[in-house]
């Protein structure tokens, strides 16, 4: 991306920050956004399947190219920020949402996640080109960072543990 | 002159038949909430769609969240437990994949 494109991206992000920060404040979520590196992190908790305690989750967002491109959301190891596949996201229950955004591969499957598009290595080739992400219909729609955080948060609250166990930390 | 048949009867308490409820709605795309008033027999889905339009959502499957519980879009507000003065949150329940 050019410097000019990065400046446009920063302007879009800055316009949306008050809403996502307020949402995170109301719900006790951790949110940081690095406008220089165009990265954001969302820390949240969801119910653990085993013992009723809360499990930690970390979602990172690569905001390069936003809004021409959707963010690249990843559910990563909350301890190391490494990508860990299915151990990253929560394991959703089929309660309110007809189907979950959390895929068995660990990818967050939504048109508002760049990483879900097959042209970029994800599982989906049914949404057209990634640059048309805002026009995709018939599935989850989230057109601002606040709405994306809202969906990740709601599904995490309805989850029961992680899809897979966290890997052991290297000594 | 009053007799047994016309003696004053105690007044029945007035039924609370307030039909409209006023709620505060928060949306994740705006930092400030908005206030709405709706007939309590309208559905969650209809009213959430109106709120979403007011918050400039383009499309989707909006519903409300009350006290952390996502409300059934097909239910009337009153049946879904929405009461005058409630604070609701707008969310989208469109399917994932």
């Amino acid at each position: 991306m050019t410097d000019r494109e990065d400046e446009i991206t920063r302007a879009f992000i800055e316009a949306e920050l008050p809403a996502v920060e307020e949402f995170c404040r109301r719900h006790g979520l951790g949110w940081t956004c690095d406008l220089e590196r165009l990265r954001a992190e969302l820390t949240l908790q969801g119910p653990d399947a085993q013992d009723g305690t809360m499990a930690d989750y970390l979602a990172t967002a690569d905001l390069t190219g936003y809004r021409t491109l959707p963010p690249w959301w990843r559910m990563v190891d909350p301890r190391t920020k490494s990508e860990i596949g299915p151990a990253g996201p929560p394991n959703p229950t089929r309660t309110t949402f007809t189907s979950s955004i959390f895929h068995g591969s660990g990818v967050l499957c939504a048109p508002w996640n760049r990483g879900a598009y097959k042209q970029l290595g994800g599982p989906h080739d049914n949404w057209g080109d990634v640059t048309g992400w805002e026009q995709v219909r018939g599935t989850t729609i989230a057109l601002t960072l606040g709405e994306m955080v809202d969906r990740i948060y709601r599904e995490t609250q309805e989850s029961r543990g992680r899809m897979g166990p966290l890997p052991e930390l290297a000594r | 002159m009053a007799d047994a048949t016309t003696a004053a009867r105690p007044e029945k308490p007035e039924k609370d038949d307030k039909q409209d409820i006023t709620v505060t709605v928060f949306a994740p795309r705006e930092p400030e909430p908005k206030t709405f008033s709706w007939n309590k027999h309208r559905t969650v889905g209809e009213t959430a769609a109106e709120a979403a339009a007011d918050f400039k959502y383009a499309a989707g499957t909006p519903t409300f969240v009350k006290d952390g519980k996502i409300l059934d879009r097909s239910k009337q507000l009153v049946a879904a437990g929405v009461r005058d003065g409630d604070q609701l949150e707008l969310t989208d329940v469109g399917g994932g994949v």
Side-chain angles (χ1 to χ4, degrees):
Chain A
M1 296 288 165
T2 66
D3 287 346
R4 173 68 183 141
E5 287 165 336
D6 284 348
E7 286 308 308
I8 292 171
T9 293
R10 288 189 184 96
F12 280 128
I13 297 168
E14 283 179 316
E16 295 181 20
L17 277 182
V20 67
E21 287 170 349
E22 172 59 18
F23 182 90
C24 290
R25 185 199 65 77
R26 281 209 315 277
H27 294 285
L29 312 180
W31 171 261
T32 59
C33 186
D34 183 337
L35 283 171
E36 190 56 38
R37 294 174 60 234
L38 299 175
R39 297 279 190 275
E41 292 186 1
L42 172 70
T43 55
L44 65 170
Q45 294 190 313
D48 188 275
Q50 305 301 322
D51 57 8
T53 58
M54 298 302 275
D56 292 324
Y57 295 96
L58 174 60
T60 63
D62 176 352
L63 300 170
T64 311
Y66 189 64
R67 296 183 56 90
T68 299
L69 302 170
W72 196 314
W73 288 99
R74 295 177 171 92
M75 301 295 297
V76 299
D77 190 322
R79 306 162 302 177
T80 65
K81 303 186 185 181
S82 305
E83 289 194 61
I84 48 175
N91 191 12
T93 58
R94 290 289 181 91
T95 52
T96 308
F97 300 98
T98 50
S99 51
S100 175
I101 59 173
F102 297 125
H103 191 271
S105 65
V107 173
L108 195 160
C109 277
W112 41 268
N113 179 28
R114 198 182 331 155
Y117 287 77
K118 195 156 195 165
Q119 71 192 97
L120 294 169
H124 281 276
D125 59 2
N126 53 327
W127 296 328
D129 189 86
V130 64
T131 55
W133 70 281
E134 294 173 280
Q135 279 75 49
V136 177
R137 296 293 180 261
T139 180
T140 165
I141 297 175
L143 300 183
T144 64
L145 296 173
E147 292 160 71
M148 298 171 197
V149 166
D150 172 65
R151 182 58 180 256
I152 293 170
Y153 166 70
R154 302 278 174 214
E155 286 220 33
T156 301
Q157 296 314 293
E158 295 208 341
S159 66
R160 291 296 177 263
R162 333 185 72 85
M163 280 196 194
L166 285 172
E168 286 201 17
L169 290 172
R171 290 175 187 273
Chain B
M1 192 163 140
D3 60 21
T5 60
T6 59
R9 295 194 179 93
E11 287 188 9
K12 282 186 192 176
E14 282 191 16
K15 248 174 93 171
D16 178 10
D17 60 355
K18 185 178 172 185
Q19 294 296 303
D20 284 358
I21 51 177
T22 299
V23 296
T24 302
V25 177
F26 292 82
R29 65 159 38 204
E30 288 289 339
E32 296 296 326
K34 296 188 182 207
T35 301
F36 296 88
S37 291
W38 291 302
N39 184 291
K40 63 186 180 183
H41 297 295
R42 294 188 65 193
T43 66
V44 169
E46 281 177 337
T47 53
E50 278 187 18
D54 213 74
F55 278 105
K56 301 201 174 17
Y57 282 73
T61 315
T63 190
F64 292 128
V65 182
K66 179 183 165 173
D67 299 328
K69 181 171 181 276
I70 299 176
L71 302 184
D72 184 337
R73 300 180 78 243
S74 66
K75 285 192 171 175
Q76 293 181 1
L77 290 169
V78 61
V82 179
R83 299 290 179 263
D84 192 53
D86 276 352
Q87 292 192 343
L88 307 176
E89 295 187 81
L90 195 60
T91 195
D92 186 272
V93 291
V97 290

